Amino acid sequence: MPVQRYAVVGGGIIGTAVARRLLARAPDAVVTVLEKEDRLAAHQTGRNSGVVHAGLYYEPGSLKATLCRRGVSLLREFCAEKGLPYEEIGKVLVALDGAEEERLGAIAERARANGVPGVRVIDRAELHELEPHVAGIAALHSPTTAIVDYVAVTEQLAEEARKAGATVRTGFEVAGLRSTGGEVVVTSTAGEEVVVDRVVLCSGLQVDRLARLAGDDDAPRIVPFRGEYYALRPDKRALVNGLVYPVPDPRYPFLGVHLTPRVDGEVLVGPNAVLALAREGYRWRDVSPTELAAIVRFPGFRRFAKQHWRTGLAEMRGSLSKRAYTAAARRYVPELTVEDMVPATAGIRAQALESDGSLVDDFRITRRGAVVAVRNAPSPAATSSLAIAEHLVELLLAEGTAP
Ligand SMILES: Cc1cc2nc3c(=O)[nH]c(=O)nc-3n(C[C@H](O)[C@H](O)[C@H](O)COP(=O)(O)OP(=O)(O)OC[C@H]3O[C@@H](n4cnc5c(N)ncnc54)[C@H](O)[C@@H]3O)c2cc1C
């Protein structure tokens, strides 16, 4: 096979993992990572909860379920090899009432079907032993759920890719993708060009726009959902030992404020989920009228909003009122007070939405000619990143993928 030239657009955890994996599988390939910011991991990868999800909730057999489990093993191994922190602090899904307790059994069953080790339902006494400050009548305990530093992982992945021959260019914002005679000309906003045989779009919040430039379908579209966090004051960090989560509402599995210790010792409370008023709008005052208009004009969003406006309003209330946000967290840790929490970071989920208003649940990778796009990679995609890279690179190298 002739030497192939690849451009990977996006220097988050998936882009860097893909570049590294490509060179492991095709050592002669010419690989260039193009990242628009002046550093790697500036968006979702550097603004998330830092949890290595064990794979409790995902539909057995889905990409999320299989790549999450494979991703956990690869990530654990990678962190051990590179001396990066990987702490199995465990997680409890806390049931506050009988209805929630009833749901724990089904989640445990699903977790076992996904091959998650050590998961079991525990009673109030055991929960109290693990988490003395947490209220709840029962819980599901996942002892292997872990925390890591995804920025450090990304930097290390990029370093490995560089060592294997990749070029990593920051400050290169891709603005055009033009296929001509079997090649793709990738142009930046500054007018620079990179000519390659294949392009892989790992561009998170911007991926649908870039995929459309390559002739891919209009939908699903990315709708940006901001997740805002508070942090516990240092003297309150001991209120939790591990990860404390609500029992997920099957209708809104990514909702529900949780408590998340981080590898640097900080404890985050959150995130919530509110519509961001720009794709990279980390604060309420970050508004892009053009992007907002495009979201609102998208029929998929209008259908989604019609169905879920009540939940949306409740999330907004938590966003605008610290008291309401604290009240949500206090259901799990009754000792918490408004004074214990200080505003912290925010991240924006790149969630793909279909034209019919449904959220794309599974990871989705599409291909148009020489361009492969990761069109939906929300949580647990950081956990799954090394496995997503394995999967995607096999698709890329497989027979029949030539444009
Ligand atoms: C609030 C929040 C909490 C989360 N918690 C977890 C968690 O605990 N565990 C977990 O597994 N997952 C979690 N996730 C999900 C996880 O962070 C993402 O799935 C993962 O980071 C996706 O990685 P990525 O590389 O696809 O995206 P990103 O990290 O967003 O990277 C995309 C990159 O593409 C670049 N880019 C975009 N457009 C262009 C362009 N035109 N030219 C060049 N570069 C471009 C961007 O600058 C960016 O650096 C969370 C997400 C959020 C938002």
Side-chain angles (χ1 to χ4, degrees), residues 122-130 134-139:
I122 58 176
D123 61 14
R124 190 196 295 263
E126 269 188 284
L127 172 62
H128 186 73
E129 240 170 73
L130 286 174
V134 171
I137 60 168

Side-chain angles (χ1 to χ4, degrees), residues 130-318:
L130 286 174
E131 296 287 357
H133 301 278
V134 171
I137 60 168
L140 186 84
H141 182 220
S142 165
T144 63
T145 301
I147 52 174
V148 288
D149 176 347
Y150 283 121
V151 176
V153 171
T154 302
E155 280 162 359
Q156 190 63 46
L157 289 168
E159 187 51 32
E160 299 243 305
R162 275 192 206 100
K163 277 192 201 142
T167 304
V168 179
R169 292 184 65 173
T170 51
F172 190 110
E173 179 166 2
V174 173
L177 295 167
R178 186 164 35 88
S179 293
T180 93
E183 294 182 330
V184 188
V185 181
V186 183
T187 45
S188 75
T189 43
E192 297 159 285
E193 285 191 352
V194 176
V195 181
V196 292
D197 304 297
R198 300 279 187 279
V199 175
V200 187
L201 300 175
C202 307
S203 326
L205 289 157
Q206 312 289 344
V207 72
D208 54 336
R209 298 215 284 218
L210 293 175
R212 279 201 301 278
L213 286 180
D216 203 346
D217 297 337
D218 184 48
R221 294 261 191 107
I222 293 293
V223 175
F225 287 104
R226 188 170 61 240
E228 298 154 327
Y229 294 94
Y230 281 89
L232 291 190
R233 267 184 13 212
D235 58 316
K236 296 291 174 172
R237 288 175 180 168
L239 283 175
V240 292
N241 295 317
L243 298 151
V244 176
Y245 277 58
V247 177
D249 178 337
R251 290 167 305 162
Y252 304 105
F254 63 78
L255 288 190
V257 162
H258 41 267
L259 288 100
T260 311
R262 294 175 66 84
V263 291
D264 62 5
E266 195 172 51
V267 176
L268 293 180
V269 186
N272 56 0
V274 290
L275 180 71
L277 305 181
R279 287 188 187 230
E280 294 168 7
Y282 291 99
R283 302 162 302 182
W284 278 114
R285 61 177 177 274
D286 298 330
V287 185
S288 159
T290 327
E291 290 180 0
L292 193 57
I295 293 172
V296 174
R297 271 199 311 268
F298 175 49
F301 177 73
R302 290 213 298 273
R303 292 189 179 109
F304 175 84
K306 203 168 158 192
Q307 232 179 318
H308 303 291
W309 63 272
R310 268 196 198 86
T311 311
L313 282 184
E315 288 292 305
M316 261 172 77
R317 195 167 151 255

Side-chain angles (χ1 to χ4, degrees), residues 10 13-14 35-36 43-45 48-49 51 174 206 377 381 383:
I13 197 165
I14 297 184
E35 166 54 52
K36 72 181 168 77
H43 292 288
Q44 294 177 94
T45 301
N48 65 34
S49 301
V51 177
V174 173
Q206 312 289 344
T383 303

